[in-house]
Amino acid sequence: MPDPLFAELFGDTENLNWDPAEQVRERARQRMRRTRIVAGLASAVAVAVVATSAVAVAGNSDSAPPLPPATNGPSPSPTVIPTPTMPPTPTPSPTTAPPSQPPENADRPTLGPPSPDIPAAAMLRVADLPAGFRAAGDDLDGDWSFHAGTHYACKEDGQSWPGEEAFRGAVFRKGSEGTVIERVGRHSEEDAKSTMGNVRREVVGCEPLNQDSGGMEVFDSRLAGDESLLVGIVGQRSANRWLFVRQGGLVAQVWLKGVDPAEDQRIAERTAARLCAGTDAC
């Protein structure tokens, strides 16, 4: 007995008119072509959208612009920087090292800040003094000067250095027994002459400070020029005295302590000769 479901389906389709097989295949081919065209159009639209988005993103990018196309021209040769050649180091010429200590009889006083107006050559040297003296710098401090002498010996003492423009000093010692101190001052020639005259007037006009003081006196003159003077406190010539010598605008004051008076003439002459190095008046 046939299946009821199959029998019912057969009854429903028995009177249907079926299209020929060739017609059915043609419709199938048309449907397939339409499907391919639609798919192709969809792909093209998708590609266009992606390309547009990429262009928009590239337009807003901060990246550097594309490099220009390369040319076929010759590449420039690299610049060669010459390396500087260092000059040869000069070989120092051999020098003779100074002795660690000056000779005992070195003929040069040790001077402090020198005045440019009074050259060192205008000062006394060790060779100008009696044997045994040595240079001992240029410290002029202390109560050694003529002005200090008149202060201790006379009731009044005056200024003996009018118009002094510069000065320079030198000190020499012989152990603890002898000292020679020289002070050279520069003046105009007229003021230098006045200085020498003031020294003589102060000595001659000295009023003893007290009964124990004999005042001042001129021990000698004209030892080295008409104006030169050797002065000191009365009765102390063998102990200490002051020598004054002038050349042009230079006046030298030399304190002699513990020096044999027999050396006075020679020291005066050497003082005058040295001063000529600082003036054209000689």
Side-chain angles (χ1 to χ4, degrees), residues 90-208:
T91 302
S93 58
T95 58
T96 302
S100 57
Q101 295 182 349
E104 293 187 358
N105 293 327
D107 188 16
R108 51 183 176 82
T110 303
L111 300 177
S115 166
D117 297 318
I118 302 174
M123 310 299 293
L124 284 171
R125 308 290 182 85
V126 171
D128 302 325
L129 304 177
F133 277 90
R134 297 183 182 181
D138 62 351
D139 186 0
L140 300 180
D141 290 340
D143 295 337
W144 64 270
S145 68
F146 170 73
H147 184 73
T150 58
H151 176 76
Y152 289 116
C154 308
K155 288 184 177 181
E156 295 182 4
D157 55 299
Q159 173 56 254
S160 301
W161 324 114
E164 186 177 72
E165 300 170 359
F167 72 90
R168 187 166 189 155
V171 180
F172 307 88
R173 300 192 189 280
K174 181 180 180 181
S176 59
E177 57 187 274
T179 302
V180 174
I181 298 179
E182 181 185 32
R183 185 186 192 278
V184 175
R186 182 180 293 281
H187 313 254
S188 68
E189 188 161 353
E190 288 302 315
D191 285 342
K193 291 179 180 180
S194 296
T195 295
M196 300 296 287
N198 287 347
V199 172
R200 181 180 289 275
R201 281 191 294 271
E202 286 186 38
V203 172
V204 173
C206 173
E207 184 179 351

